Amino acid sequence: SQTIHQWPATLVQPVGSPLSLECTVEGTSNPNLYWYRQAAGRGLQLLFYSVGIGQISSEVPQNLSASRPQDRQFILSSKKLLLSDSGFYLCAWTASSTVHYEQYFGPGTRLTVT
Amino acid sequence: LAKTTQPISMDSYEGQEVNITCSHNNIATNDYITWYQQFPSQGPRFIIQGYKTKVTNEVASLFIPADRKSSTLSLPRVSLSDTAVYYCLVGDSSNSGGYQKVTFGTGTKLQVIP
């Protein structure tokens, strides 16, 4: 069966510090991968999505970036965090063969920028 | 792009049937309608998906009229544990290359009252 992992689960970082969040998927090949952010009490904001290694599409221009160095690994990064980067970061995947948009989400990372 | 509109919040007493309606006037021919459930501090969880008419599973029913411009998620006999945010999504295949970009709205916050 497929499993999606995210780490760390929680993170407290000062403004201006770098960020690296990792997401890995097990049990599937060539998944579509997504990064979302959810601010407190808000809906999900799609940040990045990827249909393959090295293929990243950005939805929101900001100080975040994403990379996909391996088929089942998706990394969210920042060189300098802003207070507004605080939120709940979720990674998700879909099977590349489906057109039915059934996404599977990871447990999330709670980021607090102080 | 097919956008969705759903109520911001709803209250219901335990044991009642809850119907949450989503409008998607610009749904495309190949788009599917998908509903997710999200509990606090967790990632969204797929509930049900459909294309037309009615779909039922062990969790919910999804009613889609012939024009597909709206859909209704029906939760039978809700309990306190059904308190969550429910998202209606319509498949977005507007990008070339078969990208599966899925857009979440703000969802409907369902509060089940004892």
Side-chain angles (χ1 to χ4, degrees):
Chain A
S1 62
Q2 299 86 7
T3 308
I4 180 168
H5 302 278
Q6 284 187 249
W7 63 89
T10 60
L11 192 60
V12 180
Q13 293 283 94
V15 170
S17 63
L19 172 73
S20 181
L21 303 180
E22 189 164 344
C23 170
T24 60
V25 181
E26 296 178 355
T28 188
S29 297
N30 194 29
N32 297 319
L33 296 172
Y34 308 80
W35 276 113
Y36 292 88
R37 178 171 63 197
Q38 188 171 36
R42 305 291 294 275
L44 277 73
Q45 178 187 31
L46 178 64
L47 302 175
F48 301 95
Y49 65 97
S50 171
V51 299
I53 296 174
Q55 300 179 61
I56 310 293
S57 294
S58 173
E59 288 297 300
V60 184
Q62 54 197 340
N63 67 319
L64 299 174
S65 62
S67 62
R68 185 169 177 174
Q70 301 181 39
D71 181 46
R72 290 169 288 179
Q73 183 185 32
F74 206 22
I75 297 172
L76 183 70
S77 304
S78 175
K79 293 182 179 179
K80 290 185 178 182
L81 283 169
L82 307 173
L83 285 174
S84 57
D85 291 324
S86 292
F88 190 42
Y89 287 81
L90 289 158
C91 181
W93 73 275
T94 61
S96 59
S97 60
T98 182
V99 295
H100 296 173
Y101 313 105
E102 185 173 335
Q103 294 198 348
Y104 299 94
F105 284 81
T109 295
R110 179 78 58 187
L111 172 66
T112 303
V113 181
T114 60
Chain B
L1 300 179
K3 300 296 183 184
T4 61
T5 303
Q6 52 184 124
I8 294 175
S9 64
M10 296 179 67
D11 292 337
S12 176
Y13 289 101
E14 273 192 295
Q16 289 188 330
E17 178 184 74
V18 172
N19 295 311
I20 305 174
T21 298
C22 179
S23 297
H24 28 79
N25 291 320
N26 297 322
I27 189 169
T29 302
N30 294 328
D31 286 345
Y32 277 71
I33 301 155
T34 310
W35 285 81
Y36 288 80
Q37 174 191 58
Q38 186 182 25
F39 298 113
S41 297
Q42 294 186 26
R45 179 178 74 103
F46 171 89
I47 298 178
I48 197 167
Q49 186 177 79
Y51 184 80
K52 62 180 179 180
T53 62
K54 178 183 175 182
V55 179
T56 298
N57 62 23
E58 66 278 5
V59 177
S61 294
L62 178 60
F63 298 92
I64 305 169
D67 66 6
R68 304 202 325 124
K69 292 184 182 299
S70 66
S71 59
T72 299
L73 175 72
S74 181
L75 304 172
R77 298 179 297 281
V78 294
S79 64
L80 294 176
S81 63
D82 292 316
T83 294
V85 177
Y86 293 82
Y87 296 95
C88 166
L89 278 71
V90 174
D92 182 353
S93 58
S94 61
N95 289 320
S96 62
Y99 288 2
Q100 291 190 42
K101 186 179 72 173
V102 177
T103 303
F104 282 78
T106 54
T108 297
K109 186 173 183 179
L110 173 66
Q111 180 69 50
V112 179
I113 306 166

